[in-house]
Amino acid sequence: MCGFCGYVNQKDVPTDTISKMANRIKHRGPDDEQYFQDENISMGFRRLSIIDLAHGGQPLFSKDQKKVLTFNGEIYNYKEIRSELQEQGYEFETDVDSEVLIRGYEAWGSGLLKKLRGMYAFVIYDKANNEIFGARDHFGIKPLYYYDDGNAFMYASEIKAFLSNPAFNKELNIGLLPIHLSFEFIPSEETMFKNVYKVMPGTYFVHHLDSKETETHRYYHFNYDHIDNSQTVEGDAKKIEGLVKDSVKAHMVSDVEVGSFLSSGVDSSYVLNEASKLKPIKSFSLGFDNSKYSELSWSTDFANQIGQENTPIKITDDDYFNFLPTMMYYMDEPLSNPSAIQLFYLSKGTRKQVKVALSGEGADEFFGGYNTYLEAKPFERYQKYVPGFIRKSLAAMVTKLPRFHGRRFLIRGAQPLSERYYRVNYVFNYDDRNRLLKDPSLNRDSGAYSKHIFDEVKDKDEMTQMQYFDINTWLPFDILQKADRMSMANSLEVRTPLVDKEIAEFASTMPIKTRINDEGTKISLRKAAENALPEKVAMKEKLGFPSPIASWIREPKFHKRIVRAFTSDVAQKFFNTDELMRILKEHDEGKSSMQKIMTPYLFIIWYEVYFPEDTDADTINKVELQA
């Protein structure tokens, strides 16, 4: 696992800028650093050595020295691709997967991407064609950004690398603030920095040095075009067993020790159990002193049952709140998911013993694990049997009435799924934002912003549309984003065997009846796991990443911090502070969700880190030193 960066050279950018940019992301690769510069481009690389420890340095060159590669990730089928290239006459000097990329690009150009299985982001400077080629893996496990203002062009594994380049014009993308307040992330190629773009999952870009134009192309698109209604739970469970076994085996390839995260849930337990069949493996679990929120007893018991070592790791309230500014620095963009800091401390404890860890992300999205998917059936029945004009009339009428049981259902029942699905207004809805934003003219329809994603599967049932939406938004921009940032902040490589091209391709064929039924969620995956795990683990209800943060907010010492932030100059710049204080009061009374506190609170902290009132370097360097 590594980090890389680069930029198109400009007269007013000093030559040592590339090393300064790379140092910003040193945490992604503390083992080595290397650089390449010519008259057109500067490229930097930081290495975390995992495979072929003695070799694998980058940048890596083609035989004719006309192509230069920097790469972050793991290619799990690189040996098969290597054999195919050798049959075509390509020679190899190392046993690293990065060499397969540079030789494969020589052989097939962008066609290489369709052959890859893994997690990756890489950039190739193609001197012969005078262009820069960059690509990101199928589901966005590994990050890749670029900055393009029409004059300067640069790219990096993390946005913070751009801060060290004088050609980077750091500017808040203020128009996205209401979108962030709704989703807690930005579900598109845009970012909270103007002219900084994500390379989207399954996408590659080409930047032409002559014209200064950048174009993007999608090479992979997960879809539900081949659902097979003849499939059964028993048959799908059997298929999943083989796929998970194969994927875990592929993800265990390493020249350093591999460990595994372990919660009380079925996903991480299933992954750990499969890994333990290959070799003894250490597991790591996070918990709290308060047993109400701690899963440690479950995790320890399960690890003992399968004869594997488990290390419990605990986090305190001071750990959590003191780390928030540093977390925002590592995240690049504001993200208020409360499990992010838990992942940081889990990664920190894990890194003390191993360099690579497996994790169970992805199962809920691909196999239908969220309880919210269950609401699709009652809404579909309501919309089928109650005409639209009646539903709209009922919604308009009950909106004016005090709260009662069923009121929310009647209001939402008049809305299309692209507006109704809760992730579209995950934290604040349109009316909430109107009250909260200092400048209400910034407000925009979050449903309209993401409607095109639902439109791509508008011919599918609502449950499938929900999963598709989550696979294209929630998974890459929240789940995988925080997993990458919080692990790499600790120089730990996290691998996700359930976010795998082969598994996803099969999941796309599964009918609703083998994903979710009246008995529960992700039923085929649970059936597969049940054949290998104790029943109480395989069938355990999903809890997410439980934490006592909601109660911590009410503690005086932390409550004061939030009040101070909610009345600060930054808060007054963007928000109606009276509304912030009202939301905080409601939370104190148990009437408001924790997310409505943490989303504006963490945005304020993030803004103070990346857009400080004093000098950029002083503030950001201070945050870096706290890490």
Side-chain angles (χ1 to χ4, degrees):
M1 194 61 61
C2 309
F4 60 79
C5 56
Y7 57 89
V8 176
N9 294 336
Q10 290 184 274
K11 290 187 298 183
D12 53 348
V13 176
T15 56
D16 64 348
T17 296
I18 190 61
S19 61
K20 292 178 180 178
M21 290 176 66
N23 282 334
R24 284 268 184 212
I25 54 174
K26 181 179 179 180
H27 50 276
R28 298 192 72 92
D31 295 336
D32 189 23
E33 61 179 309
Q34 294 184 40
Y35 303 94
F36 168 82
Q37 291 180 292
D38 72 0
E39 67 278 8
N40 292 322
I41 192 171
S42 296
M43 305 173 73
F45 174 74
R46 300 287 323 200
R47 188 185 186 200
L48 180 66
S49 304
I50 302 295
I51 293 176
D52 196 350
L53 306 185
H55 304 96
Q58 298 179 37
L60 190 68
F61 299 86
S62 61
K63 291 292 185 181
D64 62 5
Q65 304 291 301
K66 294 292 181 66
K67 296 176 178 63
V68 190
L69 166 83
T70 51
F71 159 61
N72 167 32
E74 305 288 348
I75 307 300
Y76 299 121
N77 63 338
Y78 80 94
K79 290 186 178 180
E80 294 90 330
I81 298 174
R82 174 184 169 130
S83 295
E84 184 178 353
L85 287 165
Q86 286 175 325
E87 289 176 1
Q88 294 187 23
Y90 287 89
E91 298 179 353
F92 288 79
E93 299 174 357
T94 71
D95 189 36
V96 293
D97 48 1
S98 53
E99 191 173 7
V100 165
L101 293 179
I102 192 75
R103 307 289 176 248
Y105 186 78
E106 286 182 279
W108 304 303
S110 64
L112 163 70
L113 300 172
K114 294 187 179 296
K115 298 176 179 287
L116 301 178
R117 178 186 184 185
M119 56 178 188
Y120 53 85
F122 65 90
V123 166
I124 293 175
Y125 165 45
D126 188 339
K127 192 170 184 177
N129 292 314
N130 212 27
E131 62 188 27
I132 302 169
F133 176 92
R136 192 178 181 198
D137 65 62
H138 305 79
F139 303 106
I141 304 172
K142 292 290 100 185
L144 179 57
Y145 298 89
Y146 67 89
Y147 172 77
D148 187 357
D149 65 0
N151 182 36
F153 182 86
M154 58 192 80
Y155 61 85
S157 299
E158 297 182 14
I159 295 173
K160 63 183 63 63
F162 300 152
L163 298 172
S164 295
N165 192 313
F168 176 55
N169 180 25
K170 184 181 65 174
E171 185 177 355
L172 178 68
N173 200 348
I174 185 64
L176 293 182
L177 178 56
I179 299 300
H180 165 70
L181 292 173
S182 174
F183 292 95
E184 81 173 15
F185 54 83
I186 308 301
S188 74
E189 73 280 358
E190 297 181 283
T191 73
M192 290 299 292
F193 295 89
K194 190 167 287 189
N195 296 319
V196 174
Y197 303 93
K198 311 177 190 82
V199 176
M200 295 290 278
T203 299
Y204 70 88
F205 75 79
V206 179
H207 179 75
H208 302 279
L209 293 171
D210 291 331
S211 65
K212 294 187 177 181
E213 293 181 353
T214 304
E215 57 188 65
T216 60
H217 304 272
R218 194 167 187 175
Y219 69 87
Y220 176 83
H221 187 184
F222 177 88
N223 61 65
Y224 284 103
D225 291 345
H226 302 288
I227 291 176
D228 183 355
N229 287 304
S230 69
Q231 292 175 199
T232 64
V233 171
E234 292 73 17
D236 282 6
K238 192 69 177 176
K239 181 69 173 178
I240 289 169
E241 282 185 58
L243 286 167
V244 172
K245 179 180 179 180
D246 174 68
S247 184
V248 170
K249 182 179 179 181
H251 284 70
M252 287 287 285
V253 174
S254 172
D255 291 334
V256 298
E257 185 178 2
V258 178
S260 187
F261 292 163
L262 177 64
S263 69
S264 67
V266 60
D267 308 331
S268 61
S269 300
Y270 192 12
V271 167
L272 174 65
N273 190 66
E274 289 303 307
S276 70
K277 295 176 182 178
L278 301 171
K279 62 176 70 173
I281 182 169
K282 296 175 182 176
S283 63
F284 304 86
S285 306
L286 187 85
F288 306 90
D289 291 330
N290 188 332
S291 60
K292 176 182 177 182
Y293 300 100
S294 183
E295 297 178 300
L296 291 179
S297 60
W298 274 83
S299 305
T300 302
D301 288 348
F302 175 70
N304 288 337
Q305 285 182 55
I306 63 173
Q308 302 302 313
E309 180 183 343
N310 179 256
T311 298
I313 300 163
K314 292 187 177 182
I315 179 176
T316 69
D317 51 5
D318 284 320
D319 289 335
Y320 186 92
F321 279 89
N322 291 339
F323 182 68
L324 289 176
T326 306
M327 168 188 156
M328 288 296 98
Y329 174 75
Y330 280 129
M331 277 294 181
D332 281 341
E333 296 186 88
L335 183 71
S336 57
N337 191 317
S339 66
I341 288 182
Q342 288 143 263
L343 272 171
F344 175 86
Y345 279 96
L346 176 60
S347 298
K348 184 177 181 180
T350 300
R351 184 62 174 85
K352 292 176 181 178
Q353 297 189 49
V354 299
K355 212 170 185 177
V356 178
L358 306 181
S359 189
E361 281 88 350
D364 292 317
E365 290 77 17
F366 289 121
F367 296 113
Y370 293 116
N371 290 328
T372 52
Y373 297 153
L374 295 169
E375 73 174 23
K377 287 187 177 180
F379 273 116
E380 284 182 325
R381 285 195 293 267
Y382 179 58
Q383 292 174 338
K384 180 179 180 180
Y385 295 111
V386 180
F389 74 93
I390 295 179
R391 286 187 278 112
K392 289 180 180 179
S393 297
L394 284 171
M397 181 177 66
V398 302
T399 300
K400 301 173 184 177
L401 299 177
R403 291 183 181 180
F404 62 88
H405 182 69
R407 177 177 179 270
R408 185 167 178 266
F409 178 88
L410 291 174
I411 293 173
R412 296 174 69 212
Q415 300 170 332
L417 181 62
S418 59
E419 296 176 17
R420 188 183 77 234
Y421 186 39
Y422 90 107
R423 290 225 202 275
V424 174
N425 290 302
Y426 182 59
V427 187
F428 293 97
N429 64 29
Y430 188 88
D431 292 335
D432 293 333
R433 297 191 299 271
N434 258 347
R435 292 188 297 269
L436 181 59
L437 289 166
K438 185 71 171 285
D439 181 2
S441 69
L442 290 173
N443 204 3
R444 56 201 295 193
D445 185 346
S446 54
Y449 188 81
S450 58
K451 182 178 181 295
H452 68 280
I453 301 173
F454 290 98
D455 288 344
E456 291 170 5
V457 282
K458 61 185 177 183
D459 60 326
K460 309 300 179 187
D461 61 89
E462 288 198 349
M463 196 178 295
T464 297
Q465 289 183 50
M466 291 177 183
Q467 283 187 247
Y468 181 83
F469 184 82
D470 284 349
I471 288 167
N472 284 280
T473 59
W474 180 252
L475 180 63
F477 305 137
D478 190 301
I479 302 298
L480 297 176
Q481 165 90 351
K482 69 179 187 289
D484 174 81
R485 292 300 195 281
M486 296 296 92
S487 59
M488 292 308 296
N490 291 284
S491 305
L492 176 75
E493 175 174 302
V494 166
R495 299 179 178 179
T496 53
L498 302 181
V499 184
D500 175 77
K501 184 171 73 169
E502 301 301 321
I503 287 178
E505 288 299 292
F506 174 71
S508 71
T509 71
M510 294 172 64
I512 286 293
K513 65 182 180 181
T514 70
R515 288 179 260 159
I516 301 175
N517 63 17
D518 293 337
E519 298 175 8
T521 60
K522 53 186 176 188
I523 52 176
S524 292
L525 177 75
R526 292 184 189 277
K527 183 71 174 176
E530 192 177 356
N531 295 331
L533 306 176
E535 183 179 1
K536 72 172 186 177
V537 176
M539 304 308 294
K540 187 172 182 295
E541 181 183 359
K542 180 174 178 59
L543 296 178
F545 218 147
S547 76
I549 298 169
S551 61
W552 287 347
I553 290 172
R554 298 186 181 98
E555 294 183 15
K557 63 179 178 179
F558 303 124
H559 193 274
K560 288 179 182 177
R561 294 190 192 187
I562 296 172
V563 169
R564 188 161 55 245
F566 280 5
T567 56
S568 67
D569 290 343
V570 174
Q572 293 179 45
K573 183 174 184 176
F574 297 105
F575 306 118
N576 289 318
T577 54
D578 288 346
E579 178 66 9
L580 286 174
M581 295 306 295
R582 186 192 68 78
I583 294 170
L584 184 58
K585 184 175 184 294
E586 281 196 349
H587 182 270
D588 293 341
E589 297 170 350
K591 300 177 183 177
S592 180
S593 72
M594 173 187 64
Q595 287 299 101
K596 278 186 160 57
I597 305 299
M598 297 306 292
T599 298
Y601 180 49
L602 289 175
F603 173 82
I604 291 166
I605 292 176
W606 171 82
Y607 188 83
E608 289 173 341
V609 169
Y610 276 97
F611 295 86
E613 295 300 321
D614 53 3
T615 64
D616 293 6
D618 287 346
T619 302
I620 292 172
N621 287 340
K622 181 180 178 182
V623 171
E624 285 182 300
L625 289 172
Q626 293 172 345

